[in-house]
Amino acid sequence: MAPQRSAPAQSGPPEPGRLDPVRAGTAAFSGYLIWGLSALFYKLISYAGATEIVLHRAFWSVPFLALLLVMGKRFGAAMRLLADRRAMATLVATALLIGANWWIFIFAINSGQVLEVSLGYFINPLMNVAVGVFIARERFGALRGVAVGLAALGVLNQILIVGAVPVMALFLAGTFTLYGYLRKTITTDGRIGLFWETVIIAIPSIVALSFLETSSAGHFLDGPWQALGLIMTGPMTVAPLLLFVIGARGLHFATLGVLQFIAPSLQFAIGLATGEPFSPLYLITFVLIWAGLAVFVIDLLNFSRKQRREKAR
């Protein structure tokens, strides 16, 4: 994919709190790179099942996120959010959604279905558009209609021609889309939201992990390398989030929209490199999805250029 053309120079002082675009771009790129390559990490710790990995992922994310909030002077704001019953109820729902998303993601990777994971995260932005139109009643441009239509054709090809319903891909895309939609209904810092989501998942995780270890079904006590691998699920969750937050402070929305395809592209490459079956008919599914994404990106870039021209007036 060709890099986006540089934005025209703008008059006046830079936006307050806006990060240098080069540093922001490097941070966001690194975050998506980690997300994409995380499939290799979860394959590496496949000695533990998907359920055990998700339990550890939630548990070990809490201290890393707490440290992140303290360093960013946001821990007090996180504590104050407890008084907002509506926000906390929403975070319980989003915690269940992200927990289910994590489980299917890891299960698919460890069962040799990384290509379906990739398909799910390619579908996700186009599903966001559909939800924006049919649920949030956002304006529907012609190009975005074409993009969603091409994605729908890709899914139909997978079901009718390939003869396989992409259940995990649709589940990943659907849960992450609904997760994002619900998170937009509460005005809180993304780091604070994820902190409480992981706390909500971590509380029952402690009980479940204790049961696994005492019944000899867990793998944390199998050896130092096994323990380290499970502990690393924490920073593997938090690090890309932090890098994304840093990147979002200095990049235009359109640039972030293009960068988000790094992760599923890497997952696609990993699936092919590890020898997952990939027939010509399956390729047609991806080609239709990619065509939809290309139209979506063109529309996104056109919208971004229009916004910059309006600001420059």
Side-chain angles (χ1 to χ4, degrees):
M1 185 179 293
Q4 182 190 12
R5 286 182 289 177
S6 58
Q10 297 182 6
S11 58
E15 296 177 42
R18 192 170 182 85
L19 195 65
D20 171 68
V22 175
R23 290 177 58 196
T26 302
F29 177 84
S30 301
Y32 283 118
L33 189 69
I34 294 171
W35 269 321
L37 295 177
S38 66
L40 294 174
F41 169 73
Y42 289 113
K43 277 183 174 291
L44 189 65
I45 61 170
S46 60
Y47 50 81
T51 300
E52 186 179 1
I53 291 173
V54 169
L55 296 174
H56 277 283
R57 189 175 181 180
F59 179 77
W60 294 108
S61 291
V62 172
F64 286 102
L65 280 164
L67 179 61
L68 181 60
L69 292 177
V70 170
M71 291 173 62
K73 299 180 180 179
R74 302 293 294 159
F75 197 78
M79 293 298 105
R80 288 192 293 274
L81 190 66
L82 283 170
D84 188 336
R85 293 184 179 180
R86 177 182 173 277
M88 292 305 299
T90 302
L91 288 172
V92 169
T94 56
L96 294 174
L97 283 169
I98 201 63
N101 184 278
W102 286 353
W103 192 90
I104 289 292
F105 174 75
I106 295 166
F107 175 81
I109 288 171
N110 291 351
S111 60
Q113 300 180 75
V114 182
L115 285 174
E116 187 144 349
V117 170
S118 170
L119 181 62
Y121 287 116
F122 276 129
I123 293 172
N124 174 238
L126 299 175
M127 193 176 282
N128 282 333
V129 173
V131 168
V133 172
F134 296 110
I135 297 179
R137 302 297 180 185
E138 295 175 355
R139 294 178 64 183
F140 194 89
L143 284 179
R144 295 199 179 188
V146 172
V148 172
L150 286 166
L153 286 175
V155 173
L156 284 174
N157 177 76
Q158 190 70 9
I159 296 171
L160 301 177
I161 308 301
V162 179
V165 180
V167 175
M168 284 187 284
L170 291 173
F171 186 87
L172 286 169
T175 52
F176 205 67
T177 298
L178 183 56
Y179 170 80
Y181 175 76
L182 288 177
R183 281 294 298 270
K184 285 182 179 180
T185 65
I186 54 173
T187 54
T188 186
D189 186 296
R191 294 162 293 181
I192 292 175
L194 185 62
F195 170 74
W196 283 119
E197 286 164 351
T198 52
V199 167
I200 290 164
I201 304 172
I203 292 171
S205 294
I206 296 171
V207 178
L209 287 171
S210 299
F211 174 78
L212 284 175
E213 294 302 332
T214 53
S215 63
S216 301
H219 296 81
F220 187 76
L221 300 178
D222 286 356
W225 290 111
Q226 288 86 341
L228 179 61
L230 292 169
I231 291 171
M232 285 299 295
T233 58
M236 281 294 292
T237 300
V238 176
L241 170 72
L242 174 60
L243 290 165
F244 172 79
V245 169
I246 293 170
R249 287 174 51 204
L251 295 177
H252 292 287
F253 180 74
T255 306
L256 282 173
V258 174
L259 288 175
Q260 72 177 307
F261 302 121
I262 292 171
S265 298
L266 287 170
Q267 292 159 358
F268 178 79
I270 290 168
L272 289 182
T274 53
E276 292 185 17
F278 190 64
S279 67
L281 292 176
Y282 198 5
L283 175 61
I284 293 172
T285 298
F286 273 92
V287 168
L288 287 166
I289 299 292
W290 290 333
L293 289 172
V295 173
F296 171 71
V297 168
I298 290 169
D299 183 58
L300 200 61
L301 294 176
N302 286 340
F303 178 73
S304 179
R305 281 194 289 268
K306 181 180 177 182
Q307 278 195 322
R308 290 201 296 271
R309 283 197 299 268
E310 289 175 354
K311 285 182 180 179
R313 289 175 184 172

